Amino acid sequence: MIRNFLKIAYFIFTAILPPLVFLILFFAISMIIYKHLEKDISWVDAFFWITHPHAISEHRRDITKLFAFVVYVGIFFFQVWFIERILVNIFSGELKILWRKRMSEVVISKLKNHYIICGYGQVGRTVVDELIKLNLPFVLIELNESIAKELIKEGLNVIHGDARRRSVLISAGIKRAKFICTLIDNDADNLYITITAKMLNPNIKVISRAGNLRYAEAMKGAGANEVIVPEYEGGLVVGRMIARYEKAGKD
């Protein structure tokens, strides 16, 4: 969380750095010119005249008064430049993502009895869509940074990280979650996440994806409540369709 605040501060600082540098130079040059035009004033007076041009008395030289107007216009220009730089960065994609990520972290820290989805592949995407339709709270853990950023832009609660890491699961609220779905397209990773999740929260229910039946048995042995083998399940569905058509044909 602190890291995100520092990133936001850094982006804002880098945005205002160019106008800030030019503003300092503008002040220095203006003070030198004021000192040159009115030799009886101090450096403090020269600085004060930049920010308070109305303080220049009427008996001063006309050229000084004209230069004061130039300084006034210059200060106005810098104000506009500062505001433009800040607004551009506030509404730019990167800063918006950082801010939404920070807000997402706050929401995630308060979630209870929620679902944790590991992986936003084809299966994970379908599960997320269903959870949104059912209006159920969830946290998505996605390793691909570009995908995570796009989903954060959409307002989803997303953690960019490796679901195999304990710290990432803890950030997702594993100890307060009701379900975790390990849907990564790698059986070994899903098995490892299942074991880690059960270690961190023995009461959590686990739904795992497996690529073959051998890993499915291993995941069940590791504590998974349900194991889905998409290829196997798809084959069964096709088999049932064939049986239904065959039965209809005989009738």
Coordinates of all heavy atoms in Angstrom, one line a residue, residues 182 184 187 190 208-213 215-216 219 227-231:
T182 N -8.3 -22.8 -8.3 CA -7.0 -22.8 -8.9 C -7.2 -23.2 -10.3 O -7.4 -24.4 -10.6 CB -6.0 -23.8 -8.2 OG1 -6.5 -25.1 -8.2 CG2 -5.9 -23.4 -6.7
I184 N -5.1 -22.3 -13.1 CA -4.0 -22.0 -14.0 C -3.8 -23.2 -14.9 O -4.1 -24.4 -14.5 CB -2.7 -21.8 -13.1 CG1 -2.9 -20.6 -12.2 CG2 -1.5 -21.7 -13.9 CD1 -1.8 -20.4 -11.2
D187 N -0.8 -28.1 -14.1 CA -1.2 -29.0 -13.0 C -0.3 -28.9 -11.8 O -0.8 -28.9 -10.7 CB -1.3 -30.4 -13.5 CG -2.4 -30.6 -14.5 OD1 -3.3 -29.8 -14.6 OD2 -2.4 -31.7 -15.1
N190 N -1.2 -25.7 -9.9 CA -2.5 -25.8 -9.2 C -2.4 -26.7 -8.0 O -3.0 -26.5 -7.0 CB -3.6 -26.4 -10.2 CG -4.0 -25.4 -11.2 OD1 -3.9 -24.2 -11.0 ND2 -4.4 -25.8 -12.4
S208 N -10.2 -27.1 -8.0 CA -9.0 -27.1 -8.8 C -9.2 -27.6 -10.3 O -10.1 -28.4 -10.5 CB -7.9 -28.0 -8.2 OG -7.4 -27.4 -7.0
R209 N -8.4 -27.1 -11.1 CA -8.4 -27.5 -12.5 C -7.2 -28.5 -12.8 O -6.1 -28.2 -12.3 CB -8.3 -26.4 -13.5 CG -8.2 -26.8 -14.9 CD -7.8 -25.6 -15.8 NE -7.6 -26.0 -17.2 CZ -7.3 -25.1 -18.1 NH1 -7.2 -23.8 -17.9 NH2 -7.1 -25.5 -19.4
A210 N -7.5 -29.6 -13.4 CA -6.4 -30.5 -13.7 C -6.4 -30.8 -15.2 O -7.5 -30.8 -15.9 CB -6.5 -31.8 -12.9
G211 N -5.2 -31.1 -15.8 CA -5.1 -31.4 -17.2 C -5.3 -32.9 -17.4 O -5.6 -33.3 -18.5
N212 N -5.1 -33.7 -16.4 CA -5.2 -35.2 -16.5 C -5.7 -35.8 -15.2 O -5.6 -35.2 -14.2 CB -4.0 -35.9 -17.0 CG -2.8 -35.6 -16.1 OD1 -2.8 -36.1 -14.9 ND2 -1.8 -34.9 -16.5
L213 N -6.2 -37.0 -15.3 CA -6.8 -37.7 -14.1 C -5.8 -38.0 -13.0 O -6.1 -38.0 -11.9 CB -7.5 -38.9 -14.6 CG -8.7 -38.7 -15.5 CD1 -9.3 -40.1 -16.0 CD2 -9.8 -37.9 -14.8
Y215 N -3.2 -36.1 -12.1 CA -3.1 -35.0 -11.2 C -4.4 -34.7 -10.5 O -4.3 -34.1 -9.3 CB -2.7 -33.7 -12.1 CG -1.2 -33.4 -12.1 CD1 -0.4 -33.8 -13.2 CD2 -0.6 -32.8 -11.0 CE1 0.9 -33.5 -13.2 CE2 0.7 -32.6 -11.0 CZ 1.5 -32.9 -12.1 OH 2.9 -32.6 -12.0
A216 N -5.5 -35.0 -11.0 CA -6.8 -34.8 -10.3 C -6.8 -35.6 -9.0 O -7.2 -35.1 -8.0 CB -7.9 -35.2 -11.3
M219 N -4.6 -33.9 -6.5 CA -5.2 -32.6 -6.0 C -6.2 -33.0 -4.9 O -6.3 -32.3 -3.9 CB -5.8 -31.8 -7.1 CG -4.8 -31.2 -8.0 SD -5.5 -30.4 -9.4 CE -4.1 -29.9 -10.4
V227 N -12.4 -31.3 -8.3 CA -11.4 -31.2 -9.3 C -12.0 -31.3 -10.7 O -12.8 -32.3 -10.9 CB -10.3 -32.2 -9.1 CG1 -9.2 -32.1 -10.2 CG2 -9.6 -32.1 -7.8
I228 N -11.8 -30.3 -11.5 CA -12.4 -30.3 -12.8 C -11.3 -30.6 -13.9 O -10.2 -30.0 -13.8 CB -13.0 -29.0 -13.2 CG1 -14.0 -28.6 -12.1 CG2 -13.7 -29.0 -14.5 CD1 -15.2 -29.5 -11.9
V229 N -11.6 -31.6 -14.7 CA -10.6 -31.9 -15.8 C -11.4 -31.5 -17.1 O -12.2 -32.3 -17.6 CB -10.2 -33.4 -15.9 CG1 -9.2 -33.6 -17.0 CG2 -9.7 -33.8 -14.5
P230 N -11.2 -30.3 -17.6 CA -11.9 -29.8 -18.8 C -12.0 -30.7 -20.0 O -13.1 -30.9 -20.6 CB -11.2 -28.4 -19.1 CG -10.6 -28.0 -17.8 CD -10.2 -29.3 -17.2
E231 N -10.8 -31.2 -20.3 CA -10.8 -32.1 -21.5 C -11.6 -33.4 -21.2 O -12.4 -33.9 -22.1 CB -9.3 -32.5 -21.8 CG -8.5 -31.4 -22.4 CD -8.0 -30.4 -21.3 OE1 -8.3 -30.7 -20.1 OE2 -7.4 -29.4 -21.7

